[in-house]
Amino acid sequence: SKYGSPLNGTRLSGESRVLSTGDRVKLGQTEFSVQQLPLVLCASGLRGVEKGVVDRAMADLGVSLVAQWSTDVTHLIMTHVSFTPKLLTALASAVPVVTPEWVRLLAARRQLNEKPPDPDAFPPSVPSTEGSQASQMGGISQSVGVRQETRRHLFAGWDIVWLPKAMGTGAAANDMKTSELLLLMGARELPWANHGDTATFLQECIGKGVRFLLPESDADAASECALA
């Protein structure tokens, strides 16, 4: 504006300023609030050409991929659905799972007011159910990778107790991961009562509708006995 633009109530005239999150800029009769949207990208299973597309887009965006999953991750990049720990955590946390094409289009924007591509429009595809993947992917919906907020509350109201061995020393990594996913989706984990009156504790849990989880190793053994 030739009359200067107010920044946080102070009129500027001719000088330049670096804006920060929370700043208020008034242009004409419209006031804008500056907000910085974090972009923390993590990838799972990218190879060859796909990784090259992402690397070039990341360079244009001025950001880099993080190797390990954390609660700071805003998007997971994956081309095809494969139930890796990162994907399961993203689905349980309602974090968008996008293809490399989404990252490419995000970096290709040239106007500040151009909206970023909708992440829910770029979910990873589900591989065909032919061959060795048939048992894992059979019946899986093509929309499995689309963000769903309801997953964060899927087990709300559930109290869970791991039966002995699962959460103790030497607990299987899969048991630990299962516990983490259930907690992300709203469940509450109750500690195993470490006292002599196990029967009373179990009766109390059953009366309260507590769900019991069997350690993976014990579940496998139980399955073998049932099939014998």
Side-chain angles (χ1 to χ4, degrees):
S1 169
K2 65 180 180 180
Y3 300 109
S5 300
L7 172 62
N8 299 327
T10 301
R11 188 173 297 278
L12 304 179
S13 181
E15 67 265 40
S16 61
R17 292 286 185 87
V18 176
L19 301 181
S20 302
T21 296
D23 283 346
R24 294 173 291 105
V25 181
K26 191 171 184 180
L27 301 176
Q29 298 301 313
T30 305
E31 185 174 83
F32 297 88
S33 177
V34 178
Q35 182 180 10
Q36 182 181 16
L37 298 178
L39 186 64
V40 182
L41 304 181
C42 187
S44 181
L46 293 186
R47 298 288 186 275
V49 175
E50 301 162 353
K51 190 173 186 307
V53 170
V54 171
D55 287 343
R56 288 190 294 273
M58 300 290 280
D60 291 340
L61 290 168
V63 297
S64 57
L65 284 172
V66 296
Q68 301 298 324
W69 182 272
S70 74
T71 54
D72 294 328
V73 172
T74 59
H75 299 78
L76 177 67
I77 308 170
M78 175 179 270
T79 302
H80 304 294
V81 169
S82 178
F83 291 109
T84 63
K86 288 179 181 178
L87 176 62
L88 293 174
T89 304
L91 296 179
S93 306
V95 169
V97 185
V98 297
T99 61
E101 178 65 6
W102 179 86
V103 186
R104 187 190 69 79
L105 292 175
L106 183 69
R109 294 178 306 152
R110 292 295 177 261
Q111 301 295 328
L112 290 177
N113 61 351
E114 187 177 347
K115 288 185 177 181
D118 180 6
D120 293 336
F122 295 86
S125 63
V126 176
S128 66
T129 56
E130 299 176 358
S132 60
Q133 292 183 324
S135 60
Q136 182 186 24
M137 295 299 176
I140 299 297
S141 169
Q142 287 290 334
S143 63
V144 66
V146 177
R147 170 181 49 182
Q148 296 182 29
E149 284 291 333
T150 53
R151 289 179 177 138
R152 299 177 63 181
H153 313 288
L154 192 60
F155 296 106
W158 280 39
D159 288 335
I160 59 174
V161 170
W162 281 95
L163 295 177
K165 278 180 60 178
M167 293 293 102
T169 303
N174 285 347
D175 292 333
M176 297 294 292
K177 192 62 184 177
T178 298
S179 182
E180 293 171 5
L181 291 173
L182 288 171
L183 296 179
L184 284 173
M185 292 187 283
R188 183 177 65 158
E189 185 176 345
L190 303 179
W192 176 263
N194 193 16
H195 52 68
D197 195 0
T198 301
T200 299
F201 172 70
L202 291 175
Q203 289 175 354
E204 291 176 351
C205 288
I206 293 171
K208 295 176 182 177
V210 172
R211 273 81 170 179
F212 296 95
L213 299 181
L214 190 64
E216 183 179 35
S217 56
D218 290 349
D220 291 342
S223 297
E224 291 176 3
C225 290
L227 294 173

